[in-house]
Amino acid sequence: MNNKEYIERGRFAPSPTGRMHLGNVFSALLSWLSIKAQGGKWVLRIEDIDPQRSRMEYADLIMDDLEWLGLTWDEGPFYQSERGEIYEAELQKLADRGMTYPCYCTRADILATQAPHESDGRVVYKGTCRNLKPGTHSGPAAIRMRVPEEGEGIVSFVDGHYGEQTVDLTTQCGDFIVRRKDGAWAYQLAVVVDDALMGITEVVRGRDLLLSSPQQIYLAKELGFAPPRFTHLPLLCNTEGQRLSKRDRSLDMGALRSRFEAEDIIGLLAYKAGLQKSPNRVTAEELVAGFDWSNIGIADIEF
């Protein structure tokens, strides 16, 4: 691709496991505004790789809600459930280099290896199955990606909103899953491959995925891809400090559309983000010209 053809490309990649809630809309809005302010294209990808929880009716609702909000996409929708052969080919490249191995551990096995101080909910795999001899175990196995030895797996990057980040993959992440035990594709592999092949240059998402970025940067480089830029957002939280989720039915798009117009929702989110001084009604398009990341704080936002 020469410079004349280069264009910034962002994406919104929801999982169709329920109706979008206000936190999802916040991520979609800022992703859309950021790429539109750069004159780029916004790609819609439906991350429906979880066969047990994904539903086509939710994908249809997500697209209807985005169009109602004025957040229209330039390319897509692309469905991850249709891209299995692509993921298979990329996984084989890693396997051929000895970068992956089968893991037979249950979640209970893994939790039993965690030290008492590791109580923040993050589970770091200790490599139990890393050096198993072939034939030692049988039955279904997840596939894990090897990370470097301790001290050699340092990944540093500059987040577009939270600045310099440095993570030791070995001690903070461990060998991570690229294909689940039930055969479903894992998030890390699918998202890295899709971002690369779809030419995504900028990823905007909630800060709860901040620790995924170094894993994705490492995996992208091992596959020979240039990773995108990452920009993480503060989370929308309830009054108890818990981030909004699809369980908060009063703030899902079904409930919101029954009470508000699209401009009301966009205006309130823009105000909470620091993009306007009051929660005045506004369209997403009207916010593009004045969009600036420096106006957005880093603290989580209470709703």
Side-chain angles (χ1 to χ4, degrees):
M1 182 181 293
N2 61 44
N3 290 334
K4 291 182 179 180
E5 297 171 336
Y6 181 82
I7 188 169
E8 296 287 349
R9 294 166 63 83
R11 50 84 160 169
F12 182 54
S15 298
T17 57
R19 193 79 182 258
M20 279 204 304
H21 60 78
L22 204 56
N24 302 135
V25 176
F26 186 59
S27 290
L29 174 62
L30 293 188
S31 171
W32 190 89
L33 289 173
S34 181
I35 208 67
K36 291 298 178 181
Q38 299 172 69
K41 292 184 179 296
W42 201 55
V43 178
L44 178 62
R45 185 171 73 227
I46 304 297
E47 298 198 336
D48 57 343
I49 50 175
D50 188 333
Q52 297 178 339
R53 300 176 62 218
S54 298
R55 299 286 184 272
M56 182 58 72
E57 57 264 33
Y58 289 136
D60 292 340
L61 282 171
I62 287 169
M63 289 185 279
D64 184 69
D65 288 337
L66 289 173
E67 290 184 319
W68 183 79
L69 289 162
L71 303 177
T72 53
W73 52 95
D74 300 293
E75 295 180 18
F78 299 103
Y79 294 87
Q80 287 189 328
S81 59
E82 300 174 353
R83 297 173 62 80
E85 291 184 3
I86 298 172
Y87 307 144
E88 189 78 61
E90 296 301 327
L91 180 60
Q92 190 59 51
K93 293 178 185 177
L94 297 171
D96 290 345
R97 294 171 49 213
M99 297 293 296
T100 63
Y101 62 90
C103 174
Y104 300 90
C105 295
T106 65
R107 183 169 177 81
D109 294 334
I110 296 169
L111 289 174
T113 69
Q114 303 300 295
H117 67 276
E118 294 171 332
S119 57
D120 61 356
R122 186 176 73 246
V123 176
V124 180
Y125 185 64
K126 302 299 186 182
T128 306
C129 294
R130 186 182 247 242
N131 298 311
L132 284 180
K133 295 180 180 179
T136 304
H137 283 69
S138 61
I143 304 299
R144 287 188 182 271
M145 175 76 179
R146 296 178 186 271
V147 299
E149 300 297 330
E150 186 168 354
E152 298 176 4
I154 306 297
V155 175
S156 296
F157 69 100
V158 179
D159 183 77
H161 197 52
Y162 287 91
E164 184 73 30
Q165 306 289 318
T166 298
V167 170
D168 186 333
L169 290 175
T170 313
T171 59
Q172 293 179 258
C173 301
D175 296 341
F176 54 90
I177 291 176
V178 287
R179 193 165 195 174
R180 294 184 349 192
K181 192 175 289 188
D182 62 3
W185 295 103
Y187 167 75
Q188 303 292 21
L189 179 72
V191 74
V192 165
V193 172
D194 285 345
D195 283 347
L197 299 185
M198 293 176 187
I200 302 303
T201 60
E202 177 182 79
V203 171
V204 175
R205 59 191 181 187
R207 69 163 184 81
D208 54 322
L209 290 171
L210 194 55
L211 193 60
S212 285
S213 297
Q215 296 172 68
Q216 291 167 14
I217 290 169
Y218 170 68
L219 183 51
K221 290 180 177 178
E222 290 298 327
L223 286 169
F225 300 137
R229 302 187 309 277
F230 292 97
T231 299
H232 290 81
L233 310 171
L235 302 178
L236 299 191
C237 297
N238 60 25
T239 54
E240 297 177 354
Q242 301 166 324
R243 72 182 179 94
L244 301 186
S245 72
K246 291 173 181 175
R247 293 185 297 272
D248 297 305
R249 298 301 297 274
S250 65
L251 293 176
D252 79 13
M253 284 300 296
L256 292 170
R257 286 180 66 167
S258 71
R259 294 155 46 205
F260 303 104
E261 297 295 326
E263 292 82 0
D264 297 318
I265 297 171
I266 298 295
L268 178 60
L269 289 174
Y271 167 65
K272 289 285 191 176
L275 298 177
Q276 58 177 11
K277 295 182 179 180
S278 61
N280 292 339
R281 289 165 50 92
V282 68
T283 66
E285 188 65 41
E286 290 170 330
L287 292 169
V288 172
F291 179 78
D292 192 328
W293 279 107
S294 66
N295 292 328
I296 301 170
I298 60 172
D300 289 343
I301 300 168
E302 182 178 306
F303 259 84

